[in-house]
Amino acid sequence: MTGFGDPVPEAADLVRPYVITKGRGLPAEEQLSLITLVTAAADHQQRPTRLSPEEQSLLDLCSVGYLSVAEIAGHTRLPMGVVKILLSALTEGGYLITRPPVQRAPLADTHILEEVLNALRTKFG
């Protein structure tokens, strides 16, 4: 029971995650990692009204430009799994565009680095 001065939980705190995600499962890690960039598709103005309030909120947030999945979860204050599931569903529906993270650069060959270092030492002492 809440007293007069007790904070009232927000509606989002009362809804279970499986209700928000409509029972869908997590997407593969390759599809949406924490650093995958997400933005709204160009024709996002023609949204159907059948989107949930959470999906609508994600589309509004993504319409300003590219944000990472982690940033989106931080802004919405929803659990990371819920955000990934909703983003995956919106991407499959054509409302969002995702850009996978850039692949890591290969490590430089130590032999080449040693040659460069030796050449610099001979030239500059």
Side-chain angles (χ1 to χ4, degrees):
M1 217 178 208
T2 60
F4 179 68
D6 294 340
V8 178
E10 293 183 25
D13 294 339
L14 300 175
V15 179
R16 296 283 185 193
Y18 61 84
V19 173
I20 296 172
T21 62
K22 299 174 184 163
R24 293 176 285 215
L26 280 170
E29 184 65 27
E30 304 85 45
Q31 183 182 0
L32 282 176
S33 69
L34 291 177
I35 57 176
T36 299
L37 297 177
V38 181
T39 191
D43 58 348
H44 72 278
Q45 300 297 337
Q46 301 171 353
R47 298 180 199 159
T49 56
R50 69 178 186 267
L51 295 177
S52 69
E54 293 82 13
E55 291 171 327
Q56 193 73 33
S57 171
L58 288 176
L59 277 177
D60 291 339
L61 185 62
C62 293
S63 66
V64 298
Y66 278 100
L67 292 172
S68 70
V69 173
E71 289 173 319
I72 294 168
H75 286 298
T76 59
R77 298 178 190 254
L78 290 171
M80 181 61 68
V82 171
V83 171
K84 283 184 172 184
I85 292 169
L86 292 177
L87 290 176
S88 175
L90 289 171
T91 302
E92 289 171 5
Y95 302 113
L96 294 178
I97 299 170
T98 60
R99 193 173 89 193
V102 177
Q103 295 294 325
R104 246 185 140 159
L107 296 175
D109 186 16
T110 56
H111 178 68
I112 293 173
L113 292 175
E114 287 174 1
E115 286 183 18
V116 170
L117 181 62
N118 291 335
L120 290 172
R121 283 185 179 152
T122 57
K123 181 164 183 139
F124 297 109

